[in-house]
Amino acid sequence: RYVSVVDEVTKNIPARAVLLSLSPEGRDARLEADVSAVCSLDGDRRTTCSERIRLWAEGSLSDRMASAVAGLLEPELPTALVWLGRVRVDDGVFLGLAGESARVLLDTEYTSVQSLVHLVQWAGAASGRPPVADLSWTRLGAWRELAARFFDEGPMLPFASHVRRVRVLQAGEGTVVGSQAALFVGWLGSRLGWRTRVIGGALRV
């Protein structure tokens, strides 16, 4: 299910994408791999192709995969780490891969806003660590622009300071607030000068 997220990142940028799946709890040390070319056609009928290398590691081999991936990188090209699992900043594989990367991307749709917060704190705790970006935040660009345009016209701008309540509906079942909804409410509250806090697992502004 993560392949489509990586394809989204490489859709317009030719790249060598290394997809790494780890199962450290496996009893047997095993490594499997395959290689393929992935091409996409944009609106100008231009074709962009990337390499996709998939690695599956189980057991004790999982801890060594950062060095295996490093051997597949192109030294003269910048590297981005797209981490789509639960983030543990003390994990040896994560630290090894992040050390080779110009920036770290995660997708809070697959993890959580809390993981994003921990990762941003880790990146800012020491110099030389790569900056962090969230793909869910990038997808919200159109919604943020739409909300801002309500107040683009000069006469409308003063009304922004009078907004006291916003209702955000999200698609899907369940009562858990999705990451994009939480990010949007947090961004809107920050732009309107509201204080954002978490109470009983819910986001309040």
Side-chain angles (χ1 to χ4, degrees):
R1 67 190 181 115
Y2 296 150
V3 173
S4 61
V5 181
V6 177
D7 287 348
E8 177 186 345
V9 176
T10 62
K11 181 171 58 177
N12 299 314
I13 304 174
R16 173 176 293 172
V18 182
L19 281 71
L20 179 60
S21 177
L22 303 176
S23 297
E25 68 279 359
R27 293 184 178 181
D28 300 325
R30 187 174 63 173
L31 176 64
E32 297 181 11
D34 67 33
V35 181
S36 58
V38 181
C39 299
S40 60
L41 193 66
D42 65 16
D44 296 326
R45 311 296 293 179
R46 292 178 300 182
T47 302
T48 301
C49 292
S50 295
E51 298 173 351
R52 181 197 290 158
I53 302 171
R54 295 196 293 182
L55 303 173
W56 293 267
E58 293 187 11
S60 59
L61 283 178
S62 298
D63 295 334
R64 309 176 192 173
M65 293 312 296
S67 59
V69 172
L72 299 172
L73 303 179
E74 292 288 347
E76 66 274 12
L77 296 178
T79 299
L81 171 60
V82 184
W83 190 270
L84 297 176
R86 184 170 63 92
V87 180
R88 291 193 294 111
V89 295
D90 59 346
D91 179 81
V93 177
F94 171 81
L95 292 174
L97 295 173
E100 300 283 347
S101 305
R103 68 173 179 160
V104 177
L105 306 175
L106 79 163
D107 193 334
T108 49
E109 180 180 342
Y110 294 91
T111 55
S112 65
V113 175
Q114 187 177 21
S115 290
L116 174 62
V117 171
H118 287 163
L119 192 55
V120 170
Q121 291 174 339
W122 169 84
S127 61
R129 289 179 176 174
V132 175
D134 175 25
L135 297 177
S136 287
W137 174 253
T138 302
R139 295 190 198 101
L140 278 174
W143 285 99
R144 289 184 279 121
E145 182 179 358
L146 178 64
R149 283 186 176 182
F150 284 121
F151 307 99
D152 268 354
E153 299 294 331
M156 300 299 293
L157 186 58
F159 290 103
S161 61
H162 294 283
V163 176
R164 293 292 179 266
R165 183 183 179 198
V166 174
R167 186 183 183 193
V168 178
L169 302 180
Q170 66 178 20
E173 300 178 357
T175 59
V176 177
V177 177
S179 62
Q180 291 193 34
L183 289 170
F184 181 76
V185 171
W187 168 79
L188 192 58
S190 70
R191 297 300 88 195
L192 296 174
W194 297 348
R195 296 185 61 184
T196 306
R197 61 196 185 279
V198 176
I199 300 176
L203 184 68
R204 307 290 186 186
V205 292

